[in-house]
Amino acid sequence: MEFIISSKSKKPIYEQIVTQIKELILKGALKEGDSLPAIRSFAKSLRVSVITVQKAYEILQREGFIDSAVGRGTFVSSQDMEKVREACFQTIKVKLGEIVHESKINGISFDEMIDLLKNLYDKGAK
Amino acid sequence: MEFIISSKSKKPIYEQIVTQIKELILKGALKEGDSLPAIRSFAKSLRVSVITVQKAYEILQREGFIDSAVGRGTFVSSQDMEKVREACFQTIKVKLGEIVHESKINGISFDEMIDLLKNLYDKGAK
Amino acid sequence: MEFIISSKSKKPIYEQIVTQIKELILKGALKEGDSLPAIRSFAKSLRVSVITVQKAYEILQREGFIDSAVGRGTFVSSQDMEKVREACFQTIKVKLGEIVHESKINGISFDEMIDLLKNLYDKGAK
Amino acid sequence: MEFIISSKSKKPIYEQIVTQIKELILKGALKEGDSLPAIRSFAKSLRVSVITVQKAYEILQREGFIDSAVGRGTFVSSQDMEKVREACFQTIKVKLGEIVHESKINGISFDEMIDLLKNLYDKGAK
DNA sequence: GTGGTCTAGACCACC
DNA sequence: GTGGTCTAGACCACG
């Protein structure tokens, strides 16, 4: 697993860990029952505090992505993909709503937005 | 002028003030030379601290939206609209990039995004 | 007399009045015994507060540039030009010192400064 | 690091801190990635309020000189030296323009200015 | 421990 | 009256 932790980012470190693990699960790189790194060794390899990793795992657990079994480690739990997808769709909708709001105020047209979106979608397609 | 300050929002109060004043200027509701409320009376009406309003004004000043003069008050300064629009376009581009990234991971297609965008753009058009 | 008061300037208005009157005296446009505008009418024509003009006159009086005679008006007093010139030379020396300090830190060479100075001196020569 | 804060100066304290840190960065005494003192301890050693130091750091951050991260501290960010130098050159040009203006009014010749400049430049060369 | 936000209250210069 | 600066506290999220 490759993890990139940027201390320059405004996003807190624990959040960076959370999103990257979520992405691995959603992409299928991590499947149900797979084990996650032990907190201590993970923290060491990421060069962050143990507490930070612990916090990330706690959040993932609370959101149902992983399960921790004392003494045995941490594992990816079963996902209701449709539910996850729906939740993600909602957050994206909200974020997009904010962007549209700002765009209108600045007189950015619908067509300009489409162009921008098209570019961004193609770029990452590589 | 109607201002909505929510202390529940994750956005700091001073930032809420900043964006709302920016919007008023960009929409043309506030034009060059118009005077803004005095920090003390504004703070009172918003039920926030004087310092909070002052911080908002300071940021707007540093970004060139307003000018403050001791003993005279605070005024909307002349805007280089093209420059402002370009800056806004860039920030929107970055935000949209993040959304596209998340969308791909969740398997949201380009067409679904277009639909979402279309809905949001129409809704506000009322 | 032409006076230019800019509310955009960071300099206080009373100071703008002081320097402009000083300049007129130093250039010889105002000579010993000449009368200055009455405070009230002056304030009206400059569109500033009476108190502001009053403050400017007070400073000029304290520095020996003008004399006020109650009921008769305000007049330019006799100047010891050599003394004035020397005082000005000192303040310029201090300001120039600060500029040189900043220049050195930014690696601006003596020659670059000379060039800049030459340009500025020629430009206004017109 | 040696810092000199004078409460007698007309310059506000936070501005004194800003310029001194800028100078250290420009001189190369502080390099990219170096950490700055924590606001609380710094405030204590300078015998000023925490807020005052924070304001200085905030300005430096907004101008791109440093980056602050909650829980981690404050660090010197990477500099576009050419851009910084150009900005400084412009401000110096403006200040020098004002000085030249005053000089002309007082009949200080171009040669006198050169002499003054030469003296000041040599003095600090020591 | 770190920085970010908010508070109340003070003094000053300017108009 | 206005804004600008500084103060001493407080609470929060992050590591």
Side-chain angles (χ1 to χ4, degrees):
Chain A
M1 282 191 289
E2 268 189 51
F3 275 85
I4 303 165
I5 300 301
S6 166
S7 52
K8 288 177 189 171
S9 169
K10 341 86 206 145
K11 278 187 186 173
I13 294 176
Y14 77 90
E15 208 176 304
Q16 295 183 39
I17 298 173
V18 167
T19 52
Q20 288 186 60
I21 291 180
K22 272 189 191 174
E23 288 183 7
L24 288 174
I25 295 174
L26 291 170
K27 284 196 297 187
L30 282 176
K31 291 169 193 169
E32 182 179 346
D34 287 355
S35 70
L36 267 63
I39 291 185
R40 277 176 187 73
S41 61
F42 197 19
K44 208 170 182 180
S45 73
L46 292 179
R47 297 187 183 187
V48 299
S49 163
V50 174
I51 296 175
T52 307
V53 177
Q54 207 165 34
K55 187 162 185 176
Y57 277 21
E58 264 173 38
I59 291 172
L60 287 164
Q61 197 172 349
R62 204 180 324 132
E63 296 187 358
F65 285 89
I66 64 175
D67 275 313
S68 290
V70 185
R72 283 192 303 138
T74 308
F75 305 90
V76 176
S77 53
S78 65
Q79 305 299 322
D80 181 347
M81 280 305 183
E82 207 40 54
K83 203 173 156 192
V84 172
R85 193 177 176 282
E86 180 56 28
C88 178
F89 196 75
Q90 284 307 319
T91 62
I92 282 178
K93 197 172 172 180
V94 171
K95 287 184 188 173
L96 206 54
E98 290 170 9
I99 289 180
V100 169
H101 179 231
E102 286 178 42
S103 302
K104 281 181 187 167
I105 288 166
N106 275 275
I108 295 174
S109 72
F110 177 65
D111 291 335
E112 281 178 297
M113 284 291 280
I114 296 289
D115 277 352
L116 204 49
L117 196 61
K118 201 168 187 302
N119 272 333
L120 289 164
Y121 237 87
D122 290 344
K123 203 190 305 178
K126 23 181 172 181
Chain B
M1 280 190 288
E2 272 188 47
F3 277 84
I4 304 164
I5 299 302
S6 163
S7 51
K8 293 173 191 166
S9 169
K10 338 96 203 159
K11 275 193 185 175
I13 296 175
Y14 72 88
E15 208 176 304
Q16 296 181 39
I17 298 173
V18 166
T19 54
Q20 288 187 58
I21 290 179
K22 271 190 193 174
E23 289 184 4
L24 287 175
I25 294 175
L26 291 170
K27 284 195 299 186
L30 281 176
K31 291 170 191 168
E32 183 180 346
D34 287 357
S35 71
L36 269 66
I39 48 173
R40 282 174 183 76
S41 61
F42 199 15
K44 213 168 185 176
S45 74
L46 293 178
R47 298 188 181 187
V48 299
S49 164
V50 174
I51 301 287
T52 306
V53 176
Q54 197 172 33
K55 187 163 186 176
Y57 277 21
E58 200 186 319
I59 292 172
L60 287 165
Q61 202 174 346
R62 209 181 296 279
E63 295 186 358
F65 285 90
I66 64 175
D67 273 309
S68 291
V70 181
R72 273 168 284 167
T74 304
F75 307 88
V76 177
S77 56
S78 65
Q79 304 297 322
D80 183 346
M81 282 303 184
E82 208 40 56
K83 206 173 158 189
V84 170
R85 193 177 177 280
E86 179 59 27
C88 178
F89 197 74
Q90 284 305 319
T91 61
I92 283 179
K93 197 173 172 180
V94 171
K95 286 184 189 172
L96 207 54
E98 290 169 9
I99 289 181
V100 169
H101 180 230
E102 286 178 42
S103 302
K104 283 180 184 167
I105 289 164
N106 276 274
I108 296 175
S109 72
F110 177 65
D111 290 337
E112 281 178 297
M113 283 292 279
I114 295 289
D115 276 352
L116 204 49
L117 196 60
K118 200 166 186 306
N119 273 333
L120 288 164
Y121 238 87
D122 289 343
K123 201 191 308 177
K126 22 181 169 177
Chain C
M1 280 191 290
E2 270 189 49
F3 276 83
I4 303 164
I5 300 301
S6 165
S7 53
K8 289 176 188 171
S9 169
K10 342 84 206 150
K11 280 188 185 171
I13 294 176
Y14 78 89
E15 208 176 304
Q16 296 183 39
I17 298 173
V18 167
T19 52
Q20 288 187 58
I21 291 180
K22 273 190 191 174
E23 289 183 6
L24 289 174
I25 295 174
L26 291 170
K27 284 196 297 186
L30 281 176
K31 291 169 192 168
E32 183 180 345
D34 286 356
S35 71
L36 268 63
I39 291 185
R40 279 176 185 73
S41 61
F42 197 18
K44 209 169 181 182
S45 73
L46 292 179
R47 295 187 182 187
V48 299
S49 163
V50 174
I51 296 177
T52 307
V53 177
Q54 206 166 34
K55 187 163 184 175
Y57 277 21
E58 264 174 38
I59 292 173
L60 287 164
Q61 198 173 348
R62 203 181 323 132
E63 296 187 357
F65 285 89
I66 64 175
D67 274 314
S68 290
V70 184
R72 282 194 300 137
T74 308
F75 305 90
V76 177
S77 54
S78 65
Q79 305 298 321
D80 181 346
M81 281 304 184
E82 206 41 53
K83 204 173 156 190
V84 171
R85 193 177 176 282
E86 179 58 26
C88 178
F89 196 74
Q90 284 306 320
T91 62
I92 283 178
K93 197 172 171 179
V94 171
K95 287 185 188 172
L96 206 54
E98 289 169 10
I99 289 181
V100 168
H101 180 229
E102 286 178 42
S103 302
K104 281 181 185 166
I105 289 165
N106 275 275
I108 295 175
S109 72
F110 177 65
D111 291 336
E112 281 178 297
M113 283 291 280
I114 296 290
D115 277 352
L116 204 50
L117 196 60
K118 201 168 185 305
N119 271 333
L120 288 165
Y121 237 87
D122 289 345
K123 203 190 304 179
K126 24 181 170 179
Chain D
M1 280 190 289
E2 272 186 48
F3 277 83
I4 304 165
I5 299 302
S6 165
S7 50
K8 293 171 192 168
S9 168
K10 337 97 205 156
K11 276 191 185 177
I13 296 176
Y14 73 87
E15 207 176 305
Q16 296 181 40
I17 298 173
V18 166
T19 54
Q20 287 186 58
I21 290 178
K22 271 190 193 174
E23 289 184 4
L24 288 174
I25 294 174
L26 291 170
K27 284 195 300 187
L30 282 175
K31 291 169 191 168
E32 182 180 346
D34 287 356
S35 70
L36 269 65
I39 49 173
R40 282 175 183 73
S41 61
F42 200 15
K44 213 168 185 176
S45 74
L46 293 179
R47 298 187 181 188
V48 298
S49 164
V50 174
I51 302 286
T52 307
V53 176
Q54 198 172 34
K55 186 163 186 176
Y57 277 21
E58 200 186 318
I59 292 172
L60 286 165
Q61 202 174 346
R62 209 180 296 276
E63 296 187 357
F65 285 90
I66 64 175
D67 273 310
S68 291
V70 180
R72 274 168 282 169
T74 305
F75 306 90
V76 177
S77 55
S78 64
Q79 304 299 322
D80 183 346
M81 279 305 181
E82 208 40 55
K83 206 172 157 189
V84 170
R85 194 177 176 281
E86 179 58 27
C88 177
F89 197 73
Q90 285 304 320
T91 61
I92 283 178
K93 197 172 172 180
V94 171
K95 287 185 189 172
L96 206 54
E98 289 170 10
I99 289 180
V100 168
H101 180 229
E102 287 179 40
S103 303
K104 281 180 185 168
I105 288 164
N106 276 275
I108 295 176
S109 72
F110 176 64
D111 291 336
E112 281 178 298
M113 284 291 280
I114 296 289
D115 277 352
L116 204 49
L117 196 61
K118 200 167 187 303
N119 272 334
L120 289 164
Y121 237 88
D122 290 344
K123 202 193 303 178
K126 24 181 172 181

